[in-house]
Structures are given as C-alpha cells and as structure tokens.
Amino acid sequence: MKYSCLSVLSLFPSAFAATAEQWRGRSIYQIITDRFALPNGSDQNVCDPGQQTWCGGTWNSIRSNLDYIQNAGFTAIWISPVNQNYEGPRSPYGDPYHGYWMADISKLNDRFGTADDLKALSAELHRRNMYLMVDVVVNNVMATSITPDYSKYFFKDASFYHPYCPIQWGNTNSEQVCWMGDEKVPLPDVDTTNPTVIAQYGEWIAALVKEYSIDGLRIDEDGITNGHSRHVQMDFWPTFCSKAGVFCMGEVLGGQEVDPIAMYQGPGALDSVLNFPLYSALVSAFSIPGPQNISALVDIFEQSKTKFKDVGLLGNFLENQDLPRWHNMTVDPQSLYNAMTFTFMSDGIPVVYYGQEQYFSGNSDPFNREALWPSNYEKTDAYKLMSTLNQFRNFLVNKTDWVKQEAQVLTTSPYGLAIMKGPVISVLTNIGSPPRNNTHIAVRSPYAASTALINILTCQQWAVGSKGMIEAQYTLGGVPNILIPSDMLSGSGLCGAELKTTNDKGGKAAALNSSNHLSPIPSGLITFTLFCLSLAMRTSGYAMLS
Ligand SMILES: *[C@@H]1O[C@H](CO)[C@@H](O)[C@H](O)[C@H]1NC(C)=O
Ligand SMILES: *[C@@H]1O[C@H](CO)[C@@H](O)[C@H](O)[C@H]1NC(C)=O
Ligand SMILES: *[C@@H]1O[C@H](CO)[C@@H](O)[C@H](O)[C@H]1NC(C)=O
Ligand SMILES: *[C@@H]1O[C@H](CO)[C@@H](O)[C@H](O)[C@H]1NC(C)=O
Ligand SMILES: *[C@@H]1O[C@H](CO)[C@@H](O)[C@H](O)[C@H]1NC(C)=O
Ligand SMILES: *[C@@H]1O[C@H](CO)[C@@H](O)[C@H](O)[C@H]1NC(C)=O
C-alpha cells in the first residue's frame, strides 16, 4: 500500500494544524494586515505608504472582506505578525504598522484587534475551508537604543540576547550574533542557542498555534544568504516547527544562487522556503525591459529540481513586502500574466502579494505597501486571470494527482518556453503586448496528432499537429497559453458553456467525455481512508473534519 495515513488524511479538510502535505495543493494570498481593508463604516482614508504609519486595517476587516480573496480561488491567507510590537514614540523609520517590530510576543498586537477577533478570523477561514498562515519573527526584537529596557520584552533579561555589535556583513559569526537594524532602530538579537530561549520559544509557538487554530507559519528572515550565513542556526527550526505542529515556510533572502537557499529545506531545517531563486529567474526572463533571459529561468528551474528536497512545497511569488512591485519594473501587463502563470502552473505553492491583482506599482519598502481600498476591489483582468488559474489549479489538485507530478521544460525559444506538469502544457512568452505576426513558439508535445486540446484561458480549441506539434502564435500579442486535453476538463467548471456550444454543433463530442487519462481513485484507497480516519479520531483530541 503506497498511501500513508498522512497523505490520505490530506485529502480531507482539517481545521487545525495543517501539514506540509496539506499545504502542497493550496494557494496563498499574502496580506499586510494594516493595508488590506478598513473596518466597516470607517471613512476611506488616503493612506500614503511613504508616511510609514498605520492606515487602519484589522483582523475583523480582513474577515469582512474574505469574499474578495476566496472568489479569486485562494485557499489560504498569510497575514502580518500578530504579536505585540514596539509601542513608543515614532521611530526614525516610522511606526510598526507592518507588525514586524517585536516587543512582548506573549501578547497580541492590539492595533489589529482582540484575541476574539483573531479567533473569529481563523474560524471564518476554516468555515470557508481556507487556511490561516501567520507570520512570526523569532530571531530578534525591536528597540530604539542599543541599551534597551528588556523588562518590556518576552525575554526579560539581557542574558537571553547577544550583546550589541553591528553586523559585519560577510562575516558569518558576526551575522549570527550581532544585531540587525542600525543604531537608530536596532533589532536586539535573541540568543537562539540558549536552551531556555529554545524551550520558551517552543512553548510560546505551540500555545499560539493552538489558541488561534493557526494552520501554518511563515518565518521572517531566518537566514540571509549573501555570504552563506544565517541569523538563526539551522537546527533551531526542526524543534521549533515540531512544537508548532504545522507547516513552516521560511524566508531565506537570496538571489539566483540555488544552493544557499536549498540547504534550508529538509528534515534538518524547514518544510519549505520562499522561492527567491525562482523569483530572480522570473524577473530575468519576463520583465520588460530586462535581460529577457529564458536560459536563466531554465537553468534555475533545472537546478532547483535536484538541489531542493521538494520543489512542490516552495512558495512561488512575484512580489512581497520588501521587493518592488512587478508593475514598478514592468508596466506591460502581459509580462505579469506570463510570469504569474508560471508561478501557478509549475511546481510549488503560488503566493500572491495583495495588490498584485490591482497592478500596484510602488517600488521597495515602504512604497510597496499600498492600501488596497482605493482600488475598490475591482475585478481587474489580473484578478480574473488569477481566479482562472486558481480555479484550474484547485480542480487539478482536488481531482487528480497533478500537484505531485514534477514539471518539465518541453521547449525553449529566445522569447519564451513551454513547461508541462501532469497533462497541462503552459506556453509562455516575454514579447509583451504588441501583436507580432512572424513570431511563434513551436512545442513538441507528447500528445498524439489531432488530440483536441483546450486553452483554459480563452476556451479555444487547439488541435495537435503531426509529431505532437503545437504552435503558439502571437498575432494578438504575447499572451500566456494553458493547454489540456479537452476531455480532461470535465468537472472543472471551466470553459463549460463554450464546450456545450461546440458540442451542440455536433463537432467535438469528445470534449465532454470524461476521460481515463487520469488515474481513478482505487477502491482500496477508500477503505484505507476510513481506517486512517478512525485511527486519527482515536489518537487525536482534535476534530479532523470540520
Ligand atoms: C461588515 O459588514 C459586512 C456587510 O455588511 C458584514 O457581512 C460583516 O459581518 C461586517 N463585519 C464586521 C466585522 O462587523
Ligand atoms: C542568461 O543566463 C545564463 C544562465 O544564468 C547566463 O549564463 C547568461 O550569461 C545570461 N545571458 C544574458 C544575455 O544575460
Ligand atoms: C516605482 O515606484 C516609485 C515609488 O513608489 C514611483 O515613484 C515610480 O513611479 C514607480 N514606477 C512605475 C513605473 O510605476
Ligand atoms: C477544491 O478544493 C478547495 C479546497 O477544498 C475548494 O475550495 C474548491 O472549491 C475546490 N475546487 C474545485 C474546482 O473542486
Ligand atoms: C499582421 O497581419 C495582419 C493581417 O495579415 C495585418 O493587418 C497587420 O497589419 C499585421 N501587423 C503587423 C505588425 O505586421
Ligand atoms: C466516451 O468515450 C467512450 C470511449 O472512448 C465511449 O464509449 C462513450 O460513448 C463516450 N461517451 C460520450 C458521452 O461521448
């Protein structure tokens, strides 16, 4: 029997303590809690990110606006850190509206709401069968001097911190023990090798996850790899994450180098990391203007498959709270659409930073933390694309083993590539919006000649040519194409009307026929599932089905 109880249980929604396997098929919408939505009834304020102060978003206002996220097909949200932040006078770098300036982590950040509000958000997400991922900061706290009064923090004694020294970048020891930040806003470095610190962080995270039914953690800056160094020794994480009992996705900053990031994923480190190498490669390949280097993308893609423990668990993103918005680098929307399609249709968990769907265009921190409300939450073309990508991916995840099948590069060209994951072929290009008559990407697919494919973004039929060839033409501009045999789409709710219409005309009956290309669930699995479920209910105090 090749199914483990864990993998079978992952087929069922769990409202608590989600594992890596349960996260694999999810897609995540990343929120800066202060900037996503205003509370009911409050006046729409003009939120200037340059002011670096609070604009008023709360856990309740996220809860009131979950339709916007769920209607786009997301199955999880990642919110700003929830714990108490620095509360003194405004610092030279503004106020802690972002939630990353830790003070006493045993308390919640009351700017964002009460304990009941956070529980209500968690409960509402679970009612919608969505997951809650919370950002946590473990390696440092925030201060406004290099001689802070430690009694205000969770760790109340100077002995729990490394003594002050400014980081000498490039010196590994210095990077581990010295303080991030600067003399105006130093970030005192917690000594994560101290056994008391390890034990207390463990108890803290176990309690936090349990109290608020958190399903996963995003861990802030647990490593920085310019110089192969890190702020927290790697072996801190397995203990911490097992105490948490949930999926952990770490932020390990880096560029295109795969090795220094890949070493943070695995049994001796974290379940997952944010995929910085892929991000850099997508910028290289798709930004306009840019190096438009498709080989760089293919190179990182191939290296990642061998160097990461499990590319299917990495967090794929195009934007976040530190990086310039995609639209700040590239105003051509087709650049965004093609890169975004890659993050959804390749291996990994798609992570979309709020506002990407509204073409926000701020550059780095703090300008990339725009308020979402001035957009009126419009269903833009980017929002619609994202919704289709999620709907398609959710269908593949729910109904097939697509998410476990490793993506491959089928074809590369100077201005694009085709990847295939499971039965799905995505043909992507960096030529941008202007139509081109004499540009095409010819892809050698494994499909037999005259197989009927459908482009799920346009619902147009494509016929496979001789020797499996398919050809993307760009007479309407450099759009992404996502192709799947028509007969595999049944049950997805996508392109339904169009298929019926075609069928009514008598042409393409096969398109409506549900297929056997996909492995059906063996009946043995169902029996085994019931066995696992009863086992789980006996051995755990938690309701597995909610
Ligand atoms: C805000 O208003 C909406 C719509 O009127 C309602 O569904 C929601 O429950 C309200 N949220 C809160 C936190 O009161
Ligand atoms: C493209 O990327 C490859 C692989 O990273 C690199 O060797 C090559 O020099 C790059 N080409 C350009 C034109 O930047
Ligand atoms: C990039 O961001 C900066 C700062 O927010 C802004 O001044 C500039 O106009 C942006 N560029 C584009 C192309 O939107
Ligand atoms: C897939 O599962 C998710 C989460 O369980 C659910 O929200 C979604 O509606 C399902 N989608 C499809 C297309 O079945
Ligand atoms: C592309 O072809 C169409 C139809 O043949 C023609 O109308 C159009 O001008 C051509 N565009 C370019 C950019 O050559
Ligand atoms: C579906 O395909 C099978 C075999 O390919 C065929 O026997 C059956 O009649 C088809 N069903 C429909 C509804 O077209």
Side-chain angles (χ1 to χ4, degrees), residues 8-316:
V8 170
L9 285 173
S10 74
L11 299 173
F12 295 92
S14 152
F16 189 67
T19 62
E21 227 35 67
Q22 289 170 301
W23 276 91
R24 188 186 294 280
R26 296 275 157 166
S27 62
I28 304 173
Y29 187 77
Q30 180 195 349
I31 290 172
I32 299 272
T33 300
D34 184 63
R35 302 291 160 87
F36 173 68
L38 285 172
N40 277 0
S42 60
D43 286 339
Q44 295 249 324
N45 60 44
V46 178
C47 171
D48 173 3
Q51 293 297 311
Q52 298 177 289
T53 192
W54 293 280
C55 291
T58 64
W59 296 318
N60 274 346
S61 60
I62 295 173
R63 178 162 54 89
S64 301
N65 289 277
L66 285 175
D67 281 352
Y68 175 75
I69 302 170
Q70 192 176 26
N71 290 344
F74 291 97
T75 49
I77 63 170
W78 149 14
I79 61 173
S80 305
V82 298
N83 301 105
Q84 190 199 62
N85 271 216
Y86 165 75
E87 285 178 342
R90 185 177 159 86
S91 86
Y93 304 124
D95 295 309
Y97 66 93
H98 41 71
Y100 288 101
W101 286 350
M102 293 299 129
D104 184 351
I105 54 170
S106 70
K107 302 191 173 108
L108 291 180
N109 187 336
D110 57 15
R111 287 270 172 184
F112 299 153
T114 64
D116 283 347
D117 298 343
L118 184 54
K119 285 177 189 171
L121 172 60
S122 180
E124 178 58 18
L125 285 162
H126 294 151
R127 193 186 66 75
R128 293 167 182 257
N129 192 20
M130 294 168 75
Y131 283 165
L132 174 62
M133 174 176 274
V134 168
D135 209 323
V136 294
V137 183
V138 170
N139 57 309
N140 57 49
V141 295
M142 182 273 195
T144 46
S145 95
I146 57 171
T147 53
D149 169 7
Y150 288 113
S151 69
K152 288 184 296 185
Y153 298 90
F154 180 67
F155 293 107
K156 298 191 187 305
D157 192 281
S159 66
F160 295 128
Y161 300 83
H162 288 121
Y164 172 75
C165 52
I167 288 183
Q168 295 172 293
W169 294 104
N171 173 333
T172 303
N173 185 55
S174 164
E175 288 176 16
Q176 271 190 37
V177 304
C178 290
W179 292 13
M180 302 218 306
D182 58 21
E183 289 198 19
K184 287 188 238 166
V185 178
L187 303 176
D189 196 69
V190 181
D191 179 3
T192 47
T193 60
N194 179 319
T196 308
V197 167
I198 295 173
Q200 289 192 14
Y201 264 143
E203 281 164 31
W204 165 74
I205 197 62
L208 188 78
V209 163
K210 185 151 184 273
E211 185 70 9
Y212 300 103
S213 302
I214 293 165
D215 303 291
L217 301 177
R218 180 271 186 187
I219 298 171
D220 189 50
E221 226 170 275
D222 47 79
I224 291 191
T225 62
N226 50 348
H228 301 235
S229 61
R230 61 220 187 211
H231 295 296
V232 175
Q233 79 286 0
M234 208 178 291
D235 63 11
F236 177 85
W237 298 117
T239 314
F240 181 81
C241 291
S242 79
K243 284 283 182 188
V246 293
F247 178 61
C248 283
M249 176 184 277
E251 178 196 33
V252 185
L253 300 176
Q256 288 209 12
E257 264 190 283
V258 177
D259 298 85
I261 311 273
M263 67 197 261
Y264 276 85
Q265 189 191 31
L270 294 154
D271 293 325
S272 165
V273 291
L274 287 156
N275 200 343
F276 277 90
L278 179 66
Y279 164 74
S280 308
L282 290 170
V283 171
S284 289
F286 290 109
S287 63
I288 306 172
Q292 303 214 285
N293 192 338
I294 297 291
S295 332
L297 174 59
V298 173
D299 177 34
I300 298 293
F301 176 85
E302 295 299 347
Q303 279 190 53
S304 298
K305 287 206 282 189
T306 60
K307 292 178 173 170
F308 279 104
K309 294 284 182 312
D310 190 341
V311 285
L313 293 176
L314 302 176
N316 296 346

